[in-house]
Every structure is written in structure tokens, then in C-alpha cells.
Amino acid sequence: MIQEPLAPSSVTANSGRVLIADDDATMSSFCARALSATGYTVVTAAEAEAAITTLQTQGPFDLLLADIRMPGRSGLELAQIAREIDPAIAVVIMTGHSTVDTLHASVRRGVADYLTKPFEVEELRLVVEQALHKRSLLQESLRVRALEELLRSSEAINAILDRNQLAREIIAHARAHAPGEAGFLFVAGSDHLPPRVFAEPAGAAIQPAGREAVAQSIRAGRPLPVASAGPLALLEARPLTYGLAVPLRAHGAAIGALLLCGAEDALNAPGASEFLALLANQAGNALHNAQLYSQLDAAYNSLRELDRLKSEFIAIASHELRSPLSIVLGYARMVHDRSSGDLREYAQRLLTGAERIKAIVNDLLHLRDFDRKQTTLTLERSALDALVRQAVERLIPAAQQKGQDLSTNLPPEPVILDVDREKFLLVTGNLIENAIKFTPPGGRIHVEVVCWPHERLAAEIARAVANPTMRRLAGAAPAHWALVRVKDTGIGIPREQQGRIFERFYQVASSLTREQGGTGLGLAIVCDLAALQGGLVWVESEEGRGSIFSFALPLP
Ligand code: ADP
């Protein structure tokens, strides 16, 4: 039973555009009046073909209300075509009688609801309102999906640091959401990278009008649609005259632009330009990061090259010095042994100088072998305390010469370890020698051997060590460590330089260091040799008060 529509004043106001398709003029006008009275804008069509034309020429509509039975196409066919024209349109079907079959067919064609005739005004309004509500929920979920896609796109592009790969990925994401036939990415140059234009697909070529469109969008600082008389780009020699140019920015500066060329409809699909603007934001930052990364990479490469040259210099110098030095040493020794008086004394000075050169050459040879991974270990079961005593005894004369007190504290029980004795003596000797060198006359040097559980060692390093690389304990931690600790009351090392003294050629810039000479290689060798035996070396020091150098080896 058909009821007269209510007066407009008695209902809540709605908005939205409704297309009614029904060949029954009375029914069509009843619905039109009922819906107009509630605030909807209504257009009517007397059959499916007329409705399709209306959808195409007067769209978009929010809702299609169609009778199931019409001359020509049915309401269900019309529903399907309407959704093809506008996937977001809500469809309500009016039927004389509803069966399970019609219901299924309706659902398959994306129909939101149906009304069984006869229906009352309130029922019509309610169904239309619900269908539009469902539609807005659907639109909301489409927006959420677009945001999810943007998030996925931005995750993907932010993970890429290679500029070329990144550029291709940005164009691919842009084309996936604003289906342009060809995409171009303009990237400004940097110190290390020239400016570049990337094109996708391979057969696409940018034209002067396209470049101008890009420049305009950069100047405008916002996405610009461009309809050009001449071609913006060519795709396999086919001119593309419509495009969307979107500037890319990073940290407030323009660093490039994206140009998509193709069909106007596709590029202006709902949400496409918004997606592109958001993507451009992400892309600008990702490109900026990629540029920074490549600068860093270039800097690393030149550092690596410098390091290689340094290693090469070490290898050549040590090798080339070795032979003439053994000749000098051999003859100096011979002259020394066969002479007397002044000549013997001169020969002794010659020998002392040559021995010093030999020590430097030996240091260089150690580093060369280490760089070539040719340093080998000859492990022998040894008592650590006895080795330490041996190293100390060798250096007692040097300490005495400076009036220093060189003392030891060795454990009552021998500490047994498999070590390369020669290399152990070299490391320990080097640490004691440095202590003597950097402690003024009259100072004290104390050498002790202790055993610590791993936890104590880790805690001690975390507490005392300025150099974080020393905090990384190598490999699987042993339960216990044997430590040789060399303590002095010398000049100490400024905290900020404590990490650097283990680098090759590094010396603390102080007048005493300069007085003492040296090459800055000793601690680098100590570190390399300690690491080779699974051990570590670190320093605790206070300027003006002294230093403690610790050399730890894992206990079996
Ligand atoms: P070299 O002794 O030949 O200069 P090293 O590699 O053995 O080279 O030492 C590097 C630098 O570390 C030294 O030049 C010195 O500045 C500092 N250093 C090493 N040991 C000590 C120490 N016991 N006390 C103070 N400074 C030291």
C-alpha cells in the first residue's frame, strides 16, 4: 500500500544523490518525492539504458534505487553495470516478491539491500539510509586500505638504500595507485651523484613539455595536473599528453619530482592524487637517506683505499728495509767484536741504532703478517706466572736506569695455559716497556697475575673502559680469565684518547710522548696478538696519576 510522503519539516535532513530507475512512473515519483522530502537530491530514469547514460553523464551518485523488472535490462543487470561505472555506489533493488534466488543474485551483484513492494515511506527511507551508511563504512574501509597500502609502500621504500633501485620502486608504487602508463622520477644531484631522470617502463621517454610540467610543480610546491597540447612523454613513440606532476621534498627542500603520464580518468581516480602527495613525502625522505648513504659509502670507500695503501706501505717498507738492515747489523757487530777503544764504542752506538730500526721493522712485519692473515700461533702448555717473571726480568735494567721501582705480585699456584710463549712475552713486554717509558724517574710499576670469573671481568670492563669496542668480549665467554695487569704511576692518558691509543700509529700528543719517540705501533700489535689468542686488552687511566693496562686470556 502506497502512502503519501511526509512533509519535509517532520523528518531529519539527509544529503546525497539518488538515481531512481523504474518504468512505473507512479512508483518512481512516489520514491522521488519521499526521498527529496528528506533532503536527498533525486534524478529519475524510466529504464535501465537511460539510467546507465545518467550514471555516465550526471554521476557520481551515492545510491541507485532500481526496480528489478524493467523493459530491456533487469534491475540486477543495471546494478552490476552501475558498480562497474562507480564501484562505490550503493544499490537498493525493489522487487514485487523476493525469493532466495533473487537475494543471492542481488548479493553477487553488490546490492546493499532490497525492498519488497509494496513498502511504506518510512521503510523506504530506512533502507536507503542504511544502504548509504553501509556505503560510507565501505568508503571508510577503502580509505583505511589506502593508508595501509601507503604504509606498506613507505616501509618498502624506506628499506632501500640504493638510489636506482629506490627510484624504480617509487615509480612502481606510484603507478600501482594512480595507474599512469608511464612514470618518471626526477632526482636532484648531490656532491657525489649527478641529477637523474628514471623512467618506467623501459620504452618511456620524457619530452620538453614534461620537464617543464615538473619544473612548474616544483615551483608551485604541490601536485599539478597537466593537460598539454604537445606530448609530455612518448611511450613506444605514442604521445602521452596528460600527466600529474608531484614535487618531492625532504627536510623542507625540493629534491625532485614525480611525473605520471596516462589517461586523465585513471590519474584522477578518487584518492589518487592524495595518495601520490603522501607517497611523495615518504619518497622524498627515502631518496634523501639514499643520497646520504651513498655519500657515506663513498667516504668509507676512500677510507678503505687509504687503509689499503697504508697496509701496502707497511708491507713494502718492512720488506725493503729488512735486507740492508741485516747487512748493517752484521758488519756493525763484526766491527764491534774486532775493535777496541773509540772504534768499539762507535760500533756499539751503530749497533744500538740499528737494533732500534730492527725493532721498528719487526713491528711492521708483525702488522704485515697480520694484514695478510699469516700470523700463526705456536701454542705450548706454559705457566703464565713464569712467563711474566721472565718478561719483567728482561726489563729490570731499563727500570733501574730510570730509578723506578718495578715489582710483581704473582699467584702462589702456577697458572697453566696453552699460549704462544714468544707472542705472550711480546705483549707483556710491550706493556711493561710502555709503563717504564711513560712513567717519570722514581715512579712505580707493578705487574700482577690474577684469575677472574667472567662476570667480574665483564663488570670491570663496563665500569672502567672508555673505548666501547673493547667492551665487546670476543666469542663465547669462558668461565674464567687469566689476567696480566701492568700498573704504573706515570703520566696517564686523557680519557677521550684511551680508545684511540690501540689504533695503528696513534700517539697521545704530549711532550713526554714526543721525547720518548716511538712509532705508535706497539699497542696495535698487542691488540692484534691478544685477539688472535682469544684474549683482550684494555686500559684504565687517569691523566697525571697513572694507568693500568690489562691483558686477559681465557682459561680452559
Ligand atoms: P709507542 O709507545 O711506540 O708510541 P704504543 O702503541 O705502544 O706506541 O703506544 C701508543 C701511545 O699510547 C703512546 O705513544 C702513548 O701516548 C700512549 N701510552 C701507551 N702506554 C702508556 C702508558 N703506560 N702511560 C701513558 N701513555 C701510554
Side-chain angles (χ1 to χ4, degrees):
M1 125 123 229
I2 296 175
Q3 216 182 40
E4 265 307 291
L6 293 172
S9 56
S10 64
V11 289
T12 40
N14 287 294
S15 64
R17 300 189 74 224
V18 178
L19 173 62
I20 299 174
D22 196 339
D23 57 325
D24 177 346
T26 319
M27 188 64 178
S28 179
S29 102
F30 161 74
C31 294
R33 284 167 63 201
L35 295 176
S36 310
T38 347
Y40 295 105
T41 307
V42 182
V43 179
T44 57
E47 36 145 38
E49 285 311 323
I52 293 168
T53 314
T54 309
L55 281 169
Q56 286 167 334
T57 55
Q58 296 177 41
F61 285 89
D62 297 297
L63 184 128
L64 168 69
L65 177 64
D67 188 18
I68 196 159
R69 210 168 289 159
M70 283 183 287
R73 292 178 199 273
S74 76
L76 288 181
E77 280 176 277
L78 172 62
Q80 188 163 355
I81 295 167
R83 306 249 321 168
E84 280 165 14
I85 295 170
D86 178 3
I89 196 166
V91 181
V92 174
I93 293 292
M94 297 179 281
T95 67
H97 58 280
S98 58
T99 63
V100 174
D101 287 350
T102 25
L103 200 66
H104 281 188
S106 308
V107 171
R108 275 201 303 276
R109 287 171 165 86
V111 171
D113 214 335
Y114 64 95
L115 279 161
T116 312
K117 291 181 194 171
F119 48 80
E120 305 205 347
V121 171
E122 272 316 306
E123 204 183 336
L124 167 68
R125 285 180 182 151
L126 196 68
V127 166
V128 165
E129 210 170 287
Q130 280 175 347
L132 286 172
H133 181 62
K134 273 189 217 159
R135 176 181 181 266
S136 77
L137 286 181
L138 179 77
Q139 281 182 324
E140 193 62 32
S141 87
L142 285 175
R143 260 200 296 278
V144 170
R145 208 176 306 157
L147 276 175
E148 278 174 2
E149 273 161 21
L150 178 73
L151 197 68
R152 265 197 292 278
S153 298
S154 76
E155 270 174 9
I157 60 179
N158 278 321
I160 302 171
L161 287 171
D162 174 71
R163 188 173 78 154
N164 298 355
Q165 193 194 344
L166 179 63
R168 276 195 298 277
E169 199 69 19
I170 292 170
I171 300 176
H173 280 276
R175 284 176 70 210
H177 292 91
E181 291 185 61
F184 302 90
L185 185 74
F186 291 73
V187 187
S190 68
D191 290 352
H192 293 271
L193 296 168
R196 256 199 81 175
V197 184
F198 298 89
E200 290 281 328
I206 188 76
Q207 299 300 297
R211 288 180 189 275
E212 181 45 36
V214 163
Q216 272 179 13
S217 86
I218 292 176
R219 276 197 296 275
R222 61 184 165 79
L224 279 187
V226 214
S228 167
L232 296 170
L234 297 175
L235 182 58
E236 311 287 3
R238 185 162 56 83
L240 301 173
T241 54
Y242 190 82
L244 197 58
V246 190
L248 303 186
R249 301 176 73 79
H251 302 285
I255 68 156
L258 190 64
L259 174 67
L260 290 182
C261 297
E264 188 171 345
D265 289 357
L267 289 175
N268 287 326
S273 82
E274 288 83 356
F275 177 86
L276 284 182
L278 289 171
L279 179 75
N281 226 343
Q282 301 287 331
N285 287 325
L287 272 170
H288 182 67
N289 289 346
Q291 311 256 49
L292 286 182
Y293 178 78
S294 84
Q295 278 176 20
L296 207 63
D297 202 39
Y300 268 133
N301 280 340
S302 74
L303 272 181
R304 254 196 298 269
E305 177 58 10
L306 272 179
D307 212 48
R308 192 189 63 77
L309 289 174
K310 202 162 84 179
S311 298
E312 209 162 283
F313 167 76
I314 289 172
I316 293 171
S318 56
H319 184 261
E320 292 304 313
L321 285 173
R322 204 158 48 156
S323 322
L325 182 63
S326 46
I327 299 172
V328 172
L329 265 171
Y331 281 104
R333 209 163 277 136
M334 204 167 76
V335 173
H336 178 265
D337 292 350
R338 295 185 184 180
S339 58
S340 57
D342 282 355
L343 193 59
R344 191 178 170 90
E345 198 200 315
Y346 301 153
Q348 178 57 50
R349 287 191 198 167
L350 199 61
L351 264 178
T352 312
E355 288 290 352
R356 278 189 67 183
I357 300 177
K358 188 180 164 192
I360 294 172
V361 171
N362 281 344
D363 279 355
L364 293 176
L365 285 170
H366 273 298
L367 293 178
R368 182 202 63 179
D369 291 348
F370 214 86
D371 286 343
R372 292 180 177 175
K373 303 198 179 349
Q374 286 173 347
T375 314
T376 51
L377 288 178
T378 313
L379 297 180
E380 286 170 281
R381 186 135 294 207
S382 322
L384 214 65
D385 40 299
L387 287 174
V388 170
R389 195 172 294 116
Q390 197 180 330
V392 170
E393 272 163 13
R394 277 190 200 170
L395 289 161
I396 286 176
Q400 277 173 346
Q401 221 174 14
K402 284 185 82 175
Q404 292 165 335
D405 174 33
L406 174 55
S407 61
T408 54
N409 186 11
L410 304 175
E413 297 287 316
V415 181
I416 305 296
L417 260 186
D418 288 334
V419 285
D420 183 315
R421 289 183 195 162
E422 194 195 319
K423 295 192 173 67
F424 179 86
L425 287 173
L426 200 126
V427 170
T428 314
N430 217 309
L431 296 180
I432 304 172
E433 245 174 305
N434 273 350
I436 296 172
K437 206 158 92 173
F438 297 107
T439 300
R444 285 191 313 279
I445 292 137
H446 183 73
V447 185
E448 63 179 15
V449 173
V450 289
C451 293
W452 281 357
H454 177 74
E455 294 69 35
R456 170 146 188 215
L457 177 112
E460 199 73 12
I461 292 181
R463 183 188 62 74
V465 176
N467 174 13
T469 56
M470 284 287 103
R471 288 196 189 156
R472 265 188 275 120
L473 299 183
H480 286 87
W481 296 81
L483 282 90
V484 179
R485 283 159 68 85
V486 180
K487 305 180 182 180
D488 65 51
T489 56
I491 57 169
I493 301 154
R495 194 167 170 80
E496 66 283 2
Q497 298 188 50
Q498 287 173 15
R500 298 211 59 194
I501 56 171
F502 297 98
E503 292 171 14
R504 292 181 181 186
F505 300 107
Y506 192 86
Q507 293 183 304
V508 176
S510 77
S511 56
L512 190 70
T513 307
R514 275 194 298 277
E515 262 170 43
Q516 300 298 327
T519 54
L521 290 176
L523 287 178
I525 294 170
V526 161
C527 256
D528 287 347
L529 291 181
L532 201 66
Q533 301 183 65
L536 35 125
V537 179
W538 74 95
V539 66
E540 299 159 57
S541 185
E542 201 178 321
E543 222 180 334
R545 300 197 59 148
S547 312
I548 307 175
F549 278 84
S550 302
F551 167 33
L553 281 175
L555 273 174

